[in-house]
Amino acid sequence: MSRRHHPLFLLAASSLAASVAGAQGAADEGPQGLEEIVVTAQKRAESLQDTPIAITAISGDQLQELNRDDVAAIASQTPSLAYSEAGGESQIYIRGVGSNLFSVGADPSVAINLDGIYLGRSNMGLTQFLDVERVEVLRGPQGTLYGRNATGGAINIYSRMPTDTLQGYGSVILGSDDRREMNAAIGGPLSDNWSFRVALRGLKDDGYTDNLDPSGGKVDDNDLKAVRGVLRYAAGPVTATLIGDYSEFDSGNTSIKPVNDGIGLAQSAGAVVPASVHETRLNFPSFLTWQTGGITANVDWDINDALSLTATLGYREWDSDFLFNTDGTEIEVTRTTQLYDTRQYSAELRLNGTHGWGKWIAGAYWLDEDKFGGLGLVRAGFTNALANRPPAIIPSATFPPRTFVFLSQNDGRASALFGQLDFALTEQWTLTAGVRWSEETKDDSTYFVTLLPDTELLGLYSPRPLPARPSAPGPTNRIDSETWDAFTPKLGVQWQPSPDQLYYLSWSKGFKSGGYNAFQTTNPVYDPEFIKSTELGAKTRWTTACA
């Protein structure tokens, strides 16, 4: 659920230097005096007007003006982008392509990239925007330059980089629901070759839903802390950038309200449905917490006027814990617990060329992911008499308390080679041809256990040790490994009769990784998905002369 808090007033705000407008923080004047938006959707800096891809580019300044602080919030500003959450897991769709299967064995259909680093789990990049330079939403498929899991498209998030002059900002905002928010950043030169930037964000509120049950705690509240530091070295043709960031979040999770209006199991046992959507009754404190962070190292080397080499290394991690009152009442019926633990390493090497006859890019990519996930479903004990349910609905006289637990370890390795050529047929016509070859392997170990716990057992958060992981496949566990490869080409032609007009036709293929359903151990591995897309587009700019 998207949360909106209306600030009552701005307590303090300051600026050390004026922000520079534009999707990349730098805007040039176009041929008619229009602002030229620069994007890197094709992994090189170029005008949005000259890029033959359907893109929505939103600058950091625009995000601040619109009070948009995460990807969920920009969905209303981005055509064909849809966002939702289930079980604490983000679900993103672009052009109707997405995934609603959430587990460590399944991958998303929209690739999230933070400062050039692909994020294996969607939640790793969908936390809160921190000192963002711009966000680019690329409609898919983007199988050539971005590869696996970009069948729906790609969302690229870019942080603000150090500037040549001392620059920064700071603000403190108070709002409804005891909202307290702080944002600050400062950066500039340290010497002739070194520069830096540091950004901080803090956010806290009490939530917009009242828990009427004294046994429960807060719900729909926020407690966020985030920091990012950037250190850059630039000397001659070489620029090296080191980025480190860390964020943590804590809340009482999201409230829900029964919609069956008195006919559900909990209501039959005495639960009271609150009269307002801003009220709930939860019989225990639930929570949603996560921590994420990582390190990115990037080196750009301008070999000469025609060639440049880029190397990007990244480490990212994500940890989350989730405890949810599944029935949404003060009567003990069901609980859901879920946790994720992800570590990933990646590297990409790209060589860009620019010549009189056109442009080209060639590169190699590598990724290693280690993922662990768990899901616990807790059922309280009850009888037919308590539930007031006929045997046709509840076939057994008594349901003892029970916990169903799924545990999954899924490790993956991916590598790819890719290239794309933009060949100028004439001054107005350009032919594009690209290809990517990908290979990946996934190792899966998933098992299911049923426990008969005491009344205090909270699924995965149990004082009782869980059974040891099996070492061989069986009826309640799966141990498997699978390798796939994919060939994803792209062909296109562009006609640009003037700087203000671009018409393009393209055909491309996208590849989504195969995987495993971590919540059904008897299901076999599922195969990769492929999407073939033909796109016809036009980008035009119109100006009106005033007398």
Side-chain angles (χ1 to χ4, degrees), residues 159-489:
S159 307
R160 292 187 188 271
M161 292 293 107
T163 52
D164 296 333
T165 59
L166 187 64
Q167 183 184 105
Y169 61 84
S171 67
V172 176
I173 299 175
L174 301 182
S176 57
D177 303 321
D178 201 19
R179 176 90 164 191
R180 292 147 287 168
E181 183 176 350
M182 181 277 293
N183 295 276
I186 187 170
L190 293 171
S191 65
D192 291 341
N193 302 119
W194 293 91
S195 57
F196 81 102
R197 188 173 184 90
V198 176
L200 303 169
R201 187 177 190 214
L203 167 64
K204 195 168 186 177
D205 62 58
D206 291 337
Y208 52 84
T209 303
D210 294 327
N211 188 0
L212 303 181
D213 192 284
S215 301
K218 292 182 179 180
V219 289
D220 295 314
D221 58 322
N222 293 277
D223 188 352
L224 171 74
K225 303 177 184 67
V227 60
R228 175 185 293 115
V230 183
L231 184 64
R232 170 167 284 183
Y233 173 82
V238 177
T239 300
T241 305
L242 183 66
I243 306 172
D245 68 276
Y246 176 77
S247 303
E248 64 180 29
F249 178 79
D250 188 11
S251 77
N253 218 318
T254 302
S255 64
I256 63 172
K257 177 184 177 182
V259 296
N260 42 24
D261 198 20
I263 63 173
L265 175 62
Q267 292 93 316
S268 299
V272 179
V273 179
S276 170
V277 295
H278 296 291
E279 295 178 341
T280 189
R281 297 177 185 274
L282 304 180
N283 60 306
F284 64 89
S286 59
F287 57 81
L288 169 61
T289 66
W290 52 253
Q291 302 85 38
T292 187
I295 298 175
T296 300
N298 186 85
V299 177
D300 292 306
W301 176 28
D302 293 329
I303 302 173
N304 54 43
D305 293 339
L307 292 176
S308 63
L309 183 68
T310 299
T312 304
L313 304 175
Y315 166 77
R316 303 295 305 178
E317 61 181 40
W318 167 272
D319 295 296
S320 65
D321 296 295
F322 177 98
L323 175 59
F324 190 57
N325 188 330
T326 316
D327 56 271
T329 70
E330 72 275 24
I331 300 298
E332 183 65 26
V333 178
T334 59
R335 306 182 181 194
T336 300
T337 63
Q338 195 164 343
L339 59 86
Y340 287 107
D341 184 358
T342 301
R343 303 290 184 271
Q344 69 166 66
Y345 304 84
S346 64
E348 183 171 273
L349 185 67
R350 301 192 307 272
L351 186 64
N352 272 284
T354 303
H355 310 275
W357 47 264
K359 303 175 182 178
W360 59 271
I361 181 174
Y365 178 77
W366 169 83
L367 170 73
D368 187 287
E369 288 184 288
D370 295 326
K371 301 166 291 182
F372 172 78
L375 173 68
L377 305 175
V378 180
R379 185 189 72 196
F382 53 88
T383 65
N384 279 5
L386 174 63
N388 192 25
R389 281 290 180 268
I393 297 178
I394 298 181
S396 175
T398 301
F399 279 79
R402 194 173 295 276
T403 296
F404 308 91
V405 178
F406 296 88
L407 298 175
S408 181
Q409 179 74 40
N410 190 277
D411 301 330
R413 297 170 301 282
S415 57
L417 298 174
F418 61 91
Q420 181 170 301
L421 170 67
D422 297 319
F423 184 76
L425 299 173
T426 68
E427 290 185 358
Q428 297 182 351
W429 290 89
T430 302
L431 179 67
T432 296
V435 66
R436 187 184 189 101
W437 176 83
S438 304
E439 182 181 77
E440 69 171 272
T441 298
K442 284 187 177 178
D443 302 322
D444 181 79
S445 177
T446 298
Y447 73 106
F448 167 74
V449 295
T450 301
L451 304 177
L452 188 63
D454 52 45
T455 57
E456 298 300 319
L457 183 64
L458 300 180
L460 300 175
Y461 306 96
S462 167
R464 182 180 301 177
L466 293 172
R469 182 179 299 276
S471 58
T476 60
N477 60 282
R478 178 182 59 231
I479 299 176
D480 192 29
S481 179
E482 190 70 34
T483 298
W484 305 277
D485 58 64
F487 181 77
T488 50

Side-chain angles (χ1 to χ4, degrees), residues 40-43 53 111 113 118 136 138 142-150 153-154 156 158 348 365 418 436:
T40 53
Q42 297 193 110
K43 302 201 172 181
I53 300 175
N113 302 282
Y118 168 76
E136 300 173 5
L138 285 59
Q142 297 293 333
T144 301
L145 295 181
Y146 291 90
R148 61 193 288 270
N149 305 332
N156 299 332
Y158 296 94
E348 183 171 273
Y365 178 77
F418 61 91
R436 187 184 189 101

Side-chain angles (χ1 to χ4, degrees), residues 484-530:
W484 305 277
D485 58 64
F487 181 77
T488 50
K490 177 178 181 178
L491 293 173
V493 62
Q494 302 97 51
W495 177 45
Q496 193 167 20
S498 74
D500 292 337
Q501 299 178 70
L502 174 66
Y503 306 92
Y504 63 93
L505 174 66
S506 65
W507 178 89
S508 59
K509 185 178 181 180
F511 155 60
K512 179 185 174 180
S513 168
Y516 298 86
N517 183 350
F519 307 138
Q520 176 52 266
T521 59
T522 59
N523 283 0
V525 62
Y526 59 81
D527 293 330
E529 298 176 0
F530 294 91

